[in-house]
Amino acid sequence: MAGVPYHAMEAYVGKLLRAGLRVALCDQVEDAEAARGLVRREVVRVLSPGTVVEDAYLNGSASNYVVAICLRSHHHGLAALDCSTGELAVIRSDATDPALRDELARLRPAEVIAAEADRPALAPLLGTTPVTWVESRDFDARAAVDRLRTVLGVETLAAYGCEEWPEALAAAHAVLAYAARTHLRLEPGLVRLHADHPQAFMHLDPGTRRSLGLRGDAGLPSAEDLLALMEREATTAMGARTLRRWLDQPLRTRASLDSRLERVERLHEDALGQGRLRSALARMPDLERIVARIGQGLSGPRELRQLHRALTALPAVRVAASRWEDFATPPPPPGIDGLRDEIERALVDEVPATLRDGGVFQPGYDADLDSIRDGSREAREWIAALEGAERERTGIRSLRVGFNQVFGYYIEISHANREPIPAEYTRKQTLVNGERYITPELKEKETLVLNAKGALVAREHALFRDLCRRITGEAPVLLDIAAWLGDLDALTALAQVAARHRWVRPELRDEPGIQIRGGRHPLVESALGPGRFVGNDLAMDPDGARIVLLSGPNMAGKSTYLRQAGIIVLLAQVGSFVPADAAVIGICDRIFTRVGAHDELARGLSTFMVEMVETAHILAHGTPRSLLIFDEVGRGTSTYDGVSIAQAILEYLHDAPQLRALTIFATHYHELTALAERLPALRNYRMEVKEEGERVVFLHQVVAGGADRSYGIHVAELAGLPRQVVIRARQVLLELEGQRPLERPPASAQLTLPIDHPVLDELKQLDLERLSPREALEKLFAWQGQHAGT
């Protein structure tokens, strides 16, 4: 980069990274004094959106993945590396575009690495995500084994469960090779590998994540962001990232879920203990990222001071966690306490931001450093006392000792003095008003002072590197501690959310089925405030009522009811309490949602085509252990087409033997309620409304039975459509319900007036907001009398 002030580099680099660009940093790689000619410079670091580790470019609550994608005919392989924490996840997915989209939606990569040969297949899937296209040879599964063993510091990969995933291993090799090309140092012990086995987690497609508020978009309104609702209760950045990973990957193993729920319940029931634990965690910095930066040689003195703060706060967290039997970890290895003590002994209390000018290490920490300091200090003290001593010795009252960068230290005497100049003074510089001199002893002290500055900084650099190496040696233990702290904080966040919003522990079962009493939508409830949300029940049984057909007017709460069902199941399989009075949840393999209307014009898909594509995907991939949620399928086309498609889908969901999934199907086509008479597994429910004359009140309650009206015109009226439009819509509705052809009223039934008619002029002058019914009738009678017979 040229023309950018060093102190403002972060702001400029941040803009470039947010634009998806890479930035090469160059620096001197040899001593300027020893160089012959130009000082040699090299690229020392390449910053890219997915490989940065500095806090200035990162979101503390989110992982920052660079993801390599390897396309193969039978399976695709992915490797996601968070350089800021050392986390490396390898994933094997089905060789389909939807499966790949699901994984990318979960990982939300900051940058993607892919083979140039795969560009035609991948480019349409990646959208605006920054992509670095590399040679296919970077995806080498055999070379990956050796590279992974080196960075992990192990002899075999057998314990990680990914040896039979050549696609994922090839992707891991590509992402590690890319990190190496950016000059990141991934020392043994700094990388933690885990394999994401497909059967261990619930898979969620991008549409479902969007519908349930799991996108985590920076600009997403708080009323639509479940991640934000949960993450704000985390105390540390490590806990927030852990909580996000849990929400992104709901579990499918009941034993693991029950274990997590048990710990959340203990914290929930012990408010005092939970408060003490949160207070202890609040003093904990981001240990995970601090250790990663130190290990990569990209840290400064303040990272070491933060590490000391973390190690100092750790005992209090251990004590607070020991209140619960299975929360506390074993005592830390002796090396950790020794490391904390050494950092305390080494660093000054207020360390500078960089090593550039020294001043990082305390006196007494290193004998060589102390010797340099002592020699420099003595020389400075001698120089400081020289002016007074020479004035007294020579009797020259105007004598002054000074310093500049060109000539160094000097003795200056003005021309006004006639006293003899001592013989040992050597003239250095002549000025208009005086002369500058040096003495052999002053030159000796000057050399000592100036050399001491460079020697002191060089010695502090060496001590800093040694201390960082010591810390890196303990990195595996420190990262294990960071992972424990992240889990602990995520559990306290779940307990805090449950306490704050009155959530309950769900009962989990292996068999499919859902029983929810008083279920609530957490985001809508949070927006409305306590006590204002109307809770509703849901009962679904794979052997009985497994399809809920929910009818009723728009604006009555159908979409909220659908989403809250999905969110409650999701939270239960995260290991969280749920927003309900009671809940029994059979573990699902997937949640599918077809909610909302949006187009994908870049892919050439209209709103209705997107709706049909997503519906087809659900019908093709749903299983008897899935939860399917459909909202107003068929609304994007004509009424008769829409009703026909919706009915055919319901019949397929009911009859297809490979599907038999739990399904909630919301519709404004109240004609579909007749299906309950011939589909035994389908049950009608409706959003209850109360009619008071022409006024309709939405009660937001789900009751048994189907709706016989859709109330769409009433909603249009509430939205503010002109009165004449609403009246005409009611006329058309009556015609359609009477199966009369859609036509305009006959001319005899219409009032036609010339444009310049006086009645129109009077109408324009009326204040309709203040006109009473009596005054309106009087006006009508008056006009009728005035224009009778015309």
Side-chain angles (χ1 to χ4, degrees):
M1 290 167 45
V4 176
Y6 175 79
H7 64 273
M9 184 188 79
E10 283 188 350
Y12 288 97
V13 169
K15 290 180 181 179
L16 293 170
L17 293 176
R18 286 191 293 274
L21 302 175
R22 287 177 289 171
V23 180
L25 301 183
C26 301
D27 202 356
Q28 296 178 184
V29 292
E30 64 177 335
D31 188 348
E33 294 182 359
R36 295 183 179 180
L38 293 176
V39 179
R40 188 162 57 92
R41 293 171 173 84
E42 293 179 357
V43 174
V44 296
R45 178 100 186 275
V46 177
L47 298 172
S48 72
T51 60
V52 291
V53 300
E54 293 81 358
D55 282 340
Y57 313 127
L58 296 170
N59 176 356
S61 66
S63 298
N64 192 70
Y65 291 121
V66 52
V67 176
I69 303 174
C70 177
L71 300 187
R72 294 292 186 265
S73 57
H74 296 295
H75 293 92
H76 295 333
L78 295 90
L81 174 65
D82 186 345
C83 298
S84 69
T85 64
E87 178 197 1
L88 175 60
V90 291
I91 304 119
R92 190 188 208 190
S93 79
D94 293 338
T96 64
D97 288 353
L100 196 54
R101 280 199 187 94
D102 291 355
E103 294 298 342
L104 292 173
R106 174 176 69 86
L107 294 168
R108 291 182 285 271
E111 184 177 4
V112 166
I113 310 300
E116 180 65 44
D118 293 332
R119 187 195 287 253
L122 281 176
L125 301 178
L126 299 177
T128 59
T129 304
V131 187
T132 299
W133 304 101
V134 300
E135 297 294 330
S136 297
R137 62 174 175 267
D138 280 0
F139 291 84
D140 188 335
R142 293 184 179 180
V145 175
D146 291 336
R147 187 183 283 270
L148 283 170
R149 286 192 306 209
T150 299
V151 300
L152 296 172
V154 298
E155 293 297 324
T156 175
L157 301 181
Y160 298 96
C162 58
E163 283 187 315
E164 303 302 320
W165 293 359
E167 309 85 2
L169 291 174
H173 184 271
V175 79
L176 291 174
Y178 181 72
R181 284 197 289 270
T182 65
H183 299 268
L184 280 177
R185 286 181 5 215
L186 298 176
E187 301 286 343
L190 287 175
V191 175
R192 293 164 295 150
L193 174 67
H194 61 88
D196 290 349
H197 291 270
Q199 300 305 315
F201 306 105
M202 176 194 289
H203 290 267
L204 302 168
D205 58 49
T208 299
R209 291 180 182 277
R210 182 174 57 248
S211 299
L212 302 185
L214 289 181
R215 287 190 302 183
D217 292 350
L220 201 64
S222 59
E224 300 176 19
D225 195 345
L226 182 65
L227 281 170
L229 178 73
M230 308 291 284
E231 284 178 4
R232 71 171 61 108
E233 301 298 344
T235 307
T236 69
M238 296 172 287
R241 289 195 296 273
T242 299
L243 193 56
R244 181 175 288 228
R245 284 195 293 270
W246 289 357
L247 285 162
D248 278 336
Q249 288 185 303
L251 299 174
R252 289 170 54 183
T253 307
R254 182 179 169 189
S256 300
L257 285 168
D258 283 337
S259 174
R260 189 178 291 174
L261 283 167
E262 181 66 30
R263 287 181 288 170
V264 173
E265 185 171 40
R266 292 190 197 180
L267 289 163
H268 180 263
E269 292 176 347
D270 188 350
L272 179 60
Q274 182 198 145
R276 289 174 178 170
L277 180 55
R278 288 173 65 84
S279 178
L281 286 167
R283 297 190 288 272
M284 186 65 63
D286 194 343
L287 179 61
E288 194 171 31
R289 283 185 169 165
I290 291 169
V291 172
R293 282 197 294 272
I294 292 172
Q296 292 166 2
L298 299 174
S299 63
R302 289 180 179 172
E303 273 85 4
L304 268 63
R305 176 53 69 189
Q306 286 182 315
L307 175 59
H308 177 264
R309 185 156 62 92
L311 297 179
T312 301
L314 185 59
V317 178
R318 289 181 178 278
V319 169
S322 65
R323 186 183 186 97
W324 302 277
E325 184 178 335
D326 58 346
F327 277 40
T329 60
I336 297 300
D337 287 339
L339 183 61
R340 180 195 62 214
D341 296 341
E342 181 169 353
I343 296 173
E344 184 174 5
R345 189 167 58 88
L347 303 183
V348 297
D349 291 338
E350 297 295 331
V351 293
T354 69
L355 284 166
R356 187 183 307 115
D357 298 319
V360 174
F361 291 89
Q362 294 196 58
Y365 177 67
D366 179 70
D368 291 342
L369 187 62
D370 288 345
S371 176
I372 297 170
R373 282 182 178 144
D374 290 344
S376 176
R377 184 176 60 254
E378 291 171 1
R380 289 177 185 277
E381 290 173 352
W382 184 89
I383 292 172
L386 178 62
E387 183 175 303
E390 287 300 290
R391 281 183 179 182
E392 185 175 347
R393 183 175 75 85
T394 63
I396 302 174
R397 311 316 300 172
S398 65
L399 182 148
R400 186 175 67 85
V401 175
F403 175 83
N404 68 29
Q405 294 290 341
V406 178
F407 295 106
Y409 287 99
Y410 55 81
I411 297 172
E412 183 174 318
I413 300 175
S414 67
H415 291 313
N417 287 279
R418 300 303 181 185
E419 293 83 355
I421 304 300
E424 67 272 20
Y425 281 26
T426 301
R427 184 180 289 109
K428 185 72 174 177
Q429 185 183 16
T430 299
L431 306 175
V432 174
N433 297 319
E435 300 282 349
R436 287 177 176 174
Y437 303 89
I438 60 170
T439 68
E441 192 172 11
L442 178 58
K443 192 65 178 176
E444 178 185 343
K445 300 298 185 183
E446 176 191 83
T447 301
L448 188 60
V449 169
L450 296 182
N451 288 347
K453 178 67 174 177
L456 185 144
V457 172
R459 182 58 184 164
E460 290 212 356
H461 272 81
L463 292 173
F464 188 82
R465 286 193 297 270
D466 290 343
L467 189 52
C468 287
R469 277 195 291 269
R470 166 79 193 280
I471 294 168
T472 303
E474 301 289 350
V477 175
L478 291 171
L479 291 175
D480 285 345
I481 292 173
W484 172 71
L485 291 169
D487 287 353
L488 198 59
D489 191 26
L491 292 169
T492 62
L494 293 178
Q496 184 69 9
V497 170
R500 187 183 302 277
H501 300 288
R502 299 179 296 107
W503 294 3
V504 299
R505 175 176 176 173
E507 179 184 340
L508 298 176
R509 293 182 179 173
D510 292 322
E511 302 78 19
I514 297 174
Q515 301 288 329
I516 298 172
R517 179 164 54 84
R520 311 186 300 276
H521 192 299
L523 302 176
V524 177
E525 182 181 38
S526 178
L528 291 176
R532 298 187 60 192
F533 190 92
V534 178
N536 280 296
D537 301 344
L538 174 64
M540 305 180 75
D541 179 359
D543 298 322
R546 56 181 171 83
I547 301 177
V548 169
L549 180 61
L550 181 64
S551 55
N554 293 311
M555 293 291 294
K558 294 197 302 292
S559 295
T560 298
Y561 182 76
L562 298 179
R563 285 184 168 95
Q564 79 186 35
I567 288 173
I568 288 172
V569 172
L570 172 79
L571 288 173
Q573 292 191 220
V574 166
S576 168
F577 282 29
V578 298
D581 296 335
V584 180
I585 307 295
I587 293 177
C588 297
D589 60 357
R590 294 194 65 160
I591 300 174
F592 292 94
T593 65
R594 163 81 282 282
V595 177
H598 66 283
D599 55 40
E600 296 184 16
L601 298 181
R603 296 173 58 200
L605 302 180
S606 66
T607 301
F608 181 64
M609 178 58 79
V610 170
E611 181 180 330
M612 292 298 99
V613 167
E614 292 181 354
T615 300
H617 174 72
I618 294 173
L619 297 181
H621 293 87
T623 75
R625 301 197 67 91
S626 302
L627 172 62
L628 315 184
I629 296 174
F630 295 91
D631 188 17
E632 308 287 12
V633 171
R635 66 176 149 192
T637 184
S638 70
T639 300
Y640 293 140
D641 280 353
V643 171
S644 302
I645 291 171
Q647 178 171 330
I649 290 172
L650 280 168
E651 291 172 348
Y652 182 82
L653 289 167
H654 186 277
D655 298 333
Q658 80 281 5
L659 205 51
R660 299 186 60 81
L662 302 180
T663 304
I664 311 176
F665 196 104
T667 184
H668 62 274
Y669 297 137
H670 56 82
E671 298 86 352
L672 294 175
T673 58
L675 290 174
E677 298 175 4
R678 58 184 183 83
L679 300 181
L682 185 146
R683 298 290 187 278
N684 279 322
Y685 288 86
R686 69 174 185 273
M687 304 302 303
E688 185 73 316
V689 298
K690 182 179 181 181
E691 298 187 52
E692 298 175 349
E694 291 190 0
R695 182 168 174 263
V696 176
V697 178
F698 298 139
L699 301 180
H700 305 294
Q701 291 179 337
V702 177
V703 298
D708 56 3
R709 295 176 57 191
S710 59
Y711 299 93
I713 295 174
H714 175 72
V715 174
E717 186 176 18
L718 291 178
L721 284 184
R723 181 70 177 167
Q724 56 267 38
V725 173
V726 175
I727 293 172
R728 177 59 183 147
R730 286 183 174 139
Q731 292 174 347
V732 173
L733 179 62
L734 290 173
E735 292 174 1
L736 291 174
E737 288 178 341
Q739 296 185 347
R740 292 192 296 270
L742 183 62
E743 56 184 14
R744 294 179 58 82
S748 60
Q750 299 181 26
L751 175 64
T752 57
L753 295 174
I755 294 176
D756 58 350
H757 198 282
V759 172
L760 291 178
D761 294 335
E762 287 190 64
L763 276 172
K764 293 176 183 177
Q765 301 300 318
L766 291 178
D767 187 349
L768 298 179
E769 295 291 335
R770 297 185 179 181
L771 190 68
S772 70
R774 182 180 183 83
E775 290 171 333
L777 286 172
E778 290 174 350
K779 275 288 181 186
L780 286 173
F781 281 122
W783 289 335
Q784 189 177 47
Q786 292 172 12
H787 302 284
T790 62

